[in-house]
Each structure stands twice: as C-alpha cells, then as structure tokens.
Amino acid sequence: MAPRNSLLPSFLYDGVGGGGGGAPAVVAGAPSEPPFGMIELFSPAYYSACAFGGAAACGLTHAAVTPLDVIKCNIQIDPTKYKSTTSAFGVVMREQGARGFYRGWAPTFLGYSAQGAFKYGLYEVFKKEYADMAGPEYAARYKTLIYLAGSAPPPGGAAGYARGLSDGFPKIVRNESYAGLFRGLVPLWGRQIPYTMMKFATYENIVEMAYKHLIPTPKEQCSKPLQLGVSFGSGYIAGVFCAAVSHPADNLVSFLNNSKGATVGDAVKNLGLWGLFTRGLPLRILMIGTLTGTQWVIYDSFKVMVGLPTTGGAPAPAAIPIGELAELKASA
C-alpha cells in the first residue's frame, strides 16, 4: 500500500506503509535495524541514499568494464586494424601491455560516479513528482510515460583520448581550448538520453512482469537474494534494449571524439548507415547488458543495506477517489 501522505501509487515502490491503517510513510519489508536507522520515503535522506547508491553502481561498474570499452572504441574508430574483438585484445596487449586496457579508468570512474548520482537520484525525484502531478488513477494508467519522463533529464558523461585524467585534460585544453571539453556533447546526449530512458522504463516494466508472471510468490514475501536476482536479470535484459537504441549515437560520439574537426555528416559518410547501427554492437550488447544488470544489483543492494526496498515490482492498485484519499490522510 502507498504511504498515506502521498499520491504516489504503490506500484512505483514496494513494501511501504507497513500494511496497517494509518501507518507512517516508512519502509517495511527491509531489515529490522538498518545501519543508519529507518529512512522515511521521499525525504532528503531517501534521495541522498538513492544518489549515493547510483554513484556506486555507475562508477564501479563503468571502471570495471574499461577494458571492454577500450576494445569497443578501437573497433569503432579503426576497424581495419582492430578487425574483431579477439584480434583487438591481441593488438592492445602487444602494443600497450595490460595497462592499455585500463587507459582512461580514472575519468571514467569519476565521471560516471557523478552521472550515477544524478541519474538515479533525479529519477527518484521526478518519478514521484510526475506521479503526484498525474494523480493515482492516471499514474497507474500511464506508468511507463512516468518512468520515461522521470529518466529524461540529460545526464553528463566523459570521454577521453589520452593516457588518463591528468594527461587528457591539459591535452584537450592545449589543442582545442576549453571548447574542446564539450566536443561531441550533442551526440553524447543523443546516446545517453534514450539509453537512460530505456534503462529505467524497461527495467521497471520487466521487474513488474517478472513478479506478476514468473514468480508465484508476492515480492514482499520473496527473499532478498531472490529479489536481487530479479534485479540483475531484469537489468541485463533492459541493458540489451539500451545498447540497441543508443548504439548509433555511441558510434557518432566515438568518431567525433577521435577525429578533430569532424562533423556528424563526416561520421555517417565514414561509417555508413549499416556501420553506424552495427559496428561494435555485439560487444556493446555484452558490455551494456552486464553493466546494467550489475548496476541494478549494486543499487538495490545498497538500498536493502540502508533499509529500503528493492526497485519496482509491486502491482498497481485500484485508483483511490479523492474523497477516500482525504479520509485516509485524516486517519493517518
């Protein structure tokens, strides 16, 4: 049941309200004594926890898959030299050694930690705000639109072409001035915005379908390991959709960041339409699927650790008339 003092339908969050009449808006179904005390839903502490969990989820996972990202970018930029995933690994190892696989891990970690904090934190903020604006009936009817709208604010990102952060920053400024730091920003948003919208909306719907059709036990009665398993599986599937939708823009970003003075038209001419949609796609599906599934596990694990429920999966309730809603609030 949704908290009595919120219009947010319970399908957007699980296990709140404690099941009794007029229970306060605190999390139920989580550990009895979380390490930081009980966190009230939609409070500053709640959104701070979501932001911190998002930072950990994105920063750690993107830094961990830096080798795959290095190989993917090399294939996208120079397919003649890096003909396949296997040969690309061999070329990097011969020419740069093991360190070559982790080139750029520092800006990747810092950039994606900041991105994750804003991405997850703001998603929780806007998801609630839009649901409250719509009211319980329309929020339940158009839940996917709420997921999409809540995840739409443009995220940041970082891409480099040097040995690391300390080398890359002055190199960009020296060669291209400070404007060079924003080269490829529009294609980057063209990649990240649809990616993020697909990431959250698809995940939320897959989790809901999993608990509705695949798992006979209500979510609140499932063990935490099972819930986190659902988080990973749903996140992996969502990641496959993310990779497919955002891949053309990802190829554009890689081309523009590695070709000084190039335009989008140059990228399309060089890559071709087929290459724009398919070059490096299999490896990116593997990388993004694993990445997204692991991010959701880390994010939901952190929420469980601090006494919050895992994301998504509760059924949509029947719409509550305004009069009844006012009575429920008065009795709370």
Side-chain angles (χ1 to χ4, degrees), residues 154-246:
Y161 70 120
R163 292 189 299 271
L165 180 62
S166 60
D167 173 58
F169 186 88
K171 184 176 180 180
I172 293 174
V173 174
R174 182 173 62 251
N175 293 340
E176 306 177 50
S177 78
Y178 287 97
L181 297 172
F182 301 95
R183 177 160 49 93
L185 182 61
V186 173
L188 177 65
W189 283 349
R191 178 189 71 183
Q192 290 301 112
I193 293 176
Y195 167 90
T196 304
M197 294 172 71
M198 184 66 69
K199 173 180 181 175
F200 286 98
T202 305
Y203 174 82
E204 294 265 15
N205 280 287
I206 292 174
V207 170
E208 183 178 338
M209 287 189 290
Y211 284 110
K212 184 176 181 181
H213 300 292
L214 298 180
I215 301 174
T217 305
K219 179 187 174 182
E220 60 273 13
Q221 297 178 21
C222 295
S223 66
K224 293 303 179 185
L226 176 58
Q227 292 185 34
L228 294 175
V230 172
S231 296
F232 177 79
S234 301
Y236 195 99
I237 297 172
V240 173
F241 285 96
C242 291
V245 165
S246 62

Side-chain angles (χ1 to χ4, degrees), residues 72-160:
K72 174 185 69 69
C73 289
N74 285 335
I75 293 174
Q76 290 172 325
I77 299 306
D78 194 352
T80 302
K81 181 178 181 179
Y82 304 95
K83 295 181 173 61
S84 67
T85 301
T86 304
S87 67
F89 271 102
V91 172
V92 172
M93 178 60 74
R94 286 195 306 272
E95 295 185 353
Q96 304 175 42
R99 292 181 62 182
F101 292 109
Y102 290 93
R103 187 178 62 180
W105 74 267
T108 295
F109 175 76
L110 295 175
Y112 278 104
S113 292
Q115 185 205 74
F118 284 101
K119 181 189 294 185
Y120 282 87
L122 290 179
Y123 173 68
E124 298 288 354
V125 170
F126 285 113
K127 183 170 69 169
K128 179 184 185 302
E129 290 300 316
Y130 292 148
D132 283 349
M133 289 168 58
E137 182 176 358
Y138 288 107
R141 184 180 302 175
Y142 301 111
K143 57 188 177 182
T144 299
L145 292 180
I146 290 176
Y147 300 147
L148 291 170
S151 58

